[in-house]
Amino acid sequence: MTRRQALAGATAVGVAAPLLAACGSGGGSSGASDAPDVTSGEKLGPASDVPVGGGTIYADQKIVVTQPTEGQFRGFSSICTHQGCPVTAVKDGTINCTCHGSKFSITDGSVATGPATKPLPAVAVTVTGGEITTA
């Protein structure tokens, strides 16, 4: 093996490892362990940041908050139940994971499109004084 081949192989491994790690471990739906460890009363942000018919992802807290209809706020884990990737967008009535294409309902977290087979775990949220907090 030439030095160039060895370096090319090491580079490929160095690039591939973080990409694979981002998708979690292999092995299908990860289930209930996907629920974030939530502290009651944690402030997420202003309710005005969550559009009607859409949602906002709070990556640091691993929570996505949606507003399916005016004034109705729902919280879910932002970790996809397929292989543990973080969801990346809320669009067209679904919470979307771009790792493998799973989509979840903004209303109840149920699977709208697989490969995920389990819904996103619910996270209790409340809105008080225009602020979203965990319940």
Side-chain angles (χ1 to χ4, degrees):
M1 176 184 295
T2 69
R3 180 177 175 180
R4 179 177 280 176
Q5 288 171 322
L7 289 174
T11 300
V13 169
V15 170
L19 293 175
L20 291 173
C23 288
S25 60
S29 296
S30 49
S33 64
D34 296 325
D37 186 18
V38 177
T39 302
S40 181
E42 185 173 358
K43 291 183 181 182
L44 299 176
S48 58
D49 284 353
V50 182
V52 176
T56 299
I57 299 167
Y58 299 94
D60 290 346
Q61 294 85 359
K62 297 181 183 172
I63 296 172
V64 58
V65 176
T66 64
Q67 187 177 185
T69 59
E70 181 82 36
Q72 178 189 53
F73 293 86
R74 304 278 191 227
F76 305 99
S77 168
S78 67
I79 304 302
C80 180
T81 58
H82 175 238
Q83 287 193 346
C85 294
V87 299
T88 55
V90 182
K91 184 177 177 185
D92 299 327
T94 57
I95 302 164
N96 307 319
C97 178
T98 56
C99 282
H100 301 106
S102 294
K103 295 183 179 188
F104 303 88
S105 167
I106 65 169
T107 303
D108 61 7
S110 63
V111 177
T113 303
T117 59
K118 295 181 180 178
L120 292 175
V123 174
V125 295
T126 59
V127 177
T128 306
E131 285 289 319
I132 303 169
T133 59
T134 57

